[in-house]
Amino acid sequence: MQVVIFKLNEEQFAVETGKVQSINDAMEITKVPKAPAHIKGLINLRGNVISLLDINLLLGTPKQDEKQNNIIILEMEDELVGITVDQVDEVLDVEEELIEKISDGKKAYIEGVINFKDRIVTLIDIDKLLSS
């Protein structure tokens, strides 16, 4: 399985590359009046208007100061959505046996934990996270 590893605060998370359409630098965000709190706004990417979601809010992780440098564009059921992350660290091939499945009912969007020798990365089921 290939994953994109990104950082929020000092925590590392991963999503499967099959869901990732592109990784972009931060760009101008157009605010949407009366939008739900988890919607940061809209971006214009090569002529496509894309909703930008606040993944910190969706994951319940505290946000540090506004220094989110990358936007990951995800393909969700024929629609593109963006999430802002502090930084994209790497794209890796991960052996299935490194992934420890987690059956925590409260956080159904956590697919598992990737246990590297030097760090632990939380693998997110982005479909479940964004549908909740």
Side-chain angles (χ1 to χ4, degrees), residues 28-53:
E28 188 178 330
I29 300 169
T30 304
K31 299 277 184 224
V32 179
K34 297 186 178 152
H38 67 277
I39 295 180
K40 282 185 122 167
L42 301 171
I43 57 171
N44 185 336
L45 183 66
R46 296 184 284 281
N48 293 323
V49 175
I50 298 172
S51 298
L52 199 58
L53 306 179

Side-chain angles (χ1 to χ4, degrees), residues 4-71:
V4 174
I5 297 177
F6 60 91
K7 194 177 278 184
L8 294 171
N9 287 342
E10 295 306 309
E11 285 185 73
Q12 286 190 310
F13 296 90
V15 293
E16 287 186 53
T17 53
K19 296 283 176 198
V20 176
Q21 212 236 357
S22 66
I23 298 169
N24 302 282
D25 291 334
M27 58 185 72
E28 188 178 330
I29 300 169
T30 304
K31 299 277 184 224
V32 179
K34 297 186 178 152
H38 67 277
I39 295 180
K40 282 185 122 167
L42 301 171
I43 57 171
N44 185 336
L45 183 66
R46 296 184 284 281
N48 293 323
V49 175
I50 298 172
S51 298
L52 199 58
L53 306 179
D54 188 338
I55 193 159
N56 292 78
L57 213 61
L58 295 171
L59 290 171
T61 58
K63 190 186 301 180
Q64 287 182 319
D65 48 4
E66 293 287 320
K67 62 173 182 53
Q68 294 188 311
N69 298 321
N70 293 116
I71 296 173

